[in-house]
Amino acid sequence: MKEFYRLVEIMEKLRGENGCPWDREQSIESLKPYLLEETYEVLEAMDMDREKLCDELGDLLLQIVFQSQIAKEEGTFNIEDVARAINEKLIRRHPHIFKSDVKVNSSEEVAINWERIKREEKAHEDRQSILDGIPKNMPPLMRAQKIQKKVAKVGFDWPNIDGVLDKVQEEIEELRVELKNKNRENIKNELGDLMFSLVNLSRSLEIDAQEALLKTINKFDKRFRYVESKCQLPGASLEEMDKLWEESKKR
């Protein structure tokens, strides 16, 4: 904890009267892109070595301390309030750990209790729908997956994987129709429906849609770089590039 409070003190100094001009100019709003960037860098580091992850987690922690310092200056909350709030929430939502009279037999029961306790909390008492609370500015793929998980919990779900696959096929056929009609708005709508159904397929298979897509993106990146290294671009024919692409798969 000594190093944590040292970080808090450093941030106070950077924001202080004789501190860093750039740090002093920042606001909660201006820090949004930096928080997002650091989050993605942490996600990337999670697939790398632990030293890299440690470094990136430090950058993410800085964003939390930074925003908490600004809020302290505004008189709204400070880093102690942030820690207190999450401590109390963890204790409240884990009664099977912190209360001797509550027992659970599985992680599924823990999740059910978590949702029930969350609904009872003051911060969530004004929610009208089970979809309330899902951030609208979440990345679309993540938001689609979150929505589908929520509605599945109350039974709004396909009974088996065949129904999900049929829905994907249905959306493909509907897209084909609109492609023939050449109506751009309808094409966009049907393409969105197809993407949503593919996310649903991923969820049904218990595969994270973002991870699956990211794996394919990284695979494509690696293979295309091979193609790029073996021919002159632009200028190479599609046949030449296809041949090199097939070569890249065998490497």
Side-chain angles (χ1 to χ4, degrees):
M1 293 303 294
K2 177 182 175 182
E3 291 299 331
F4 174 77
Y5 284 107
R6 183 180 174 212
L7 173 60
V8 174
E9 291 172 359
I10 290 171
M11 195 68 251
E12 287 180 345
K13 188 169 185 178
L14 291 172
R15 289 278 301 178
E17 186 175 346
N18 297 313
C20 171
W22 186 88
D23 290 282
R24 286 169 53 83
E25 289 173 2
Q26 302 311 306
S27 65
I28 296 292
E29 290 71 25
S30 73
L31 290 175
K32 285 182 179 179
Y34 299 103
L35 176 61
L36 191 59
E37 180 181 337
E38 297 300 350
T39 301
Y40 281 119
E41 289 182 2
V42 167
L43 289 172
E44 182 175 349
M46 288 168 72
D47 295 325
M48 301 166 68
D49 60 83
R50 292 296 184 258
E51 184 178 348
K52 179 67 174 175
L53 178 59
C54 178
D55 185 58
E56 295 299 344
L57 284 172
D59 291 344
L60 184 58
L61 178 59
L62 171 61
Q63 291 300 314
I64 297 169
V65 172
F66 204 151
Q67 291 195 38
S68 297
Q69 177 59 31
I70 294 173
K72 178 182 177 182
E73 294 163 11
E74 296 172 345
T76 50
F77 65 84
N78 59 33
I79 193 66
E80 291 283 349
D81 297 319
V82 173
R84 183 182 305 107
I86 189 59
N87 287 342
E88 292 175 356
K89 183 183 293 184
L90 286 172
I91 292 172
R92 186 169 60 249
R93 293 189 185 177
H94 290 84
H96 54 290
I97 300 298
F98 299 101
K99 289 185 177 180
S100 59
D101 60 333
V102 179
K103 304 295 182 183
V104 295
N105 298 311
S106 66
S107 59
E108 288 77 13
E109 287 186 24
V110 172
I112 291 170
N113 281 345
W114 181 282
E115 290 298 325
R116 177 185 57 77
I117 295 167
K118 184 194 290 188
R119 288 195 297 272
E120 294 171 354
E121 291 172 349
K122 185 176 180 180
H124 302 107
E125 62 185 9
D126 60 340
R127 293 182 178 178
Q128 304 295 315
S129 167
I130 61 168
L131 301 181
D132 289 343
I134 300 176
K136 287 185 168 53
N137 57 354
M138 250 186 180
L141 201 60
M142 186 185 297
R143 188 177 174 212
Q145 198 163 255
K146 188 78 171 177
I147 287 173
Q148 291 170 4
K149 284 182 178 179
K150 286 278 189 180
V151 300
K153 285 181 180 179
V154 295
F156 193 72
D157 197 8
W158 298 100
N160 54 56
I161 195 68
D162 290 334
V164 184
L165 287 168
D166 289 343
K167 185 62 178 175
V168 171
Q169 189 58 47
E170 176 188 323
E171 297 299 350
I172 291 174
E173 295 306 318
E174 290 179 1
L175 178 58
R176 287 183 190 277
V177 171
E178 294 306 332
L179 285 169
K180 289 179 181 178
N181 294 336
K182 298 181 180 179
N183 184 308
R184 294 291 299 174
E185 190 61 29
N186 288 349
I187 290 171
K188 182 164 65 174
N189 290 338
E190 294 302 338
L191 186 58
D193 290 347
L194 175 57
M195 290 178 175
F196 194 80
S197 66
L198 287 171
V199 173
N200 209 10
L201 175 60
S202 177
R203 179 192 60 81
S204 299
L205 294 170
E206 298 184 349
I207 294 172
D208 185 274
Q210 291 207 128
E211 287 184 13
L213 180 57
L214 182 60
K215 186 174 182 179
T216 295
I217 292 170
N218 290 338
K219 181 170 58 179
F220 183 93
D221 181 286
K222 182 179 180 181
R223 290 176 179 175
F224 187 80
R225 287 176 188 273
Y226 176 82
V227 172
E228 201 174 28
S229 70
K230 297 295 182 179
C231 67
Q232 183 66 41
L233 296 178
S237 67
L238 180 56
E239 291 75 13
E240 184 182 358
M241 288 188 285
D242 279 341
K243 182 180 178 182
L244 290 169
W245 181 267
E246 291 303 317
E247 283 182 17
S248 72
K249 292 182 181 181
K250 299 172 184 177
R251 294 180 73 250

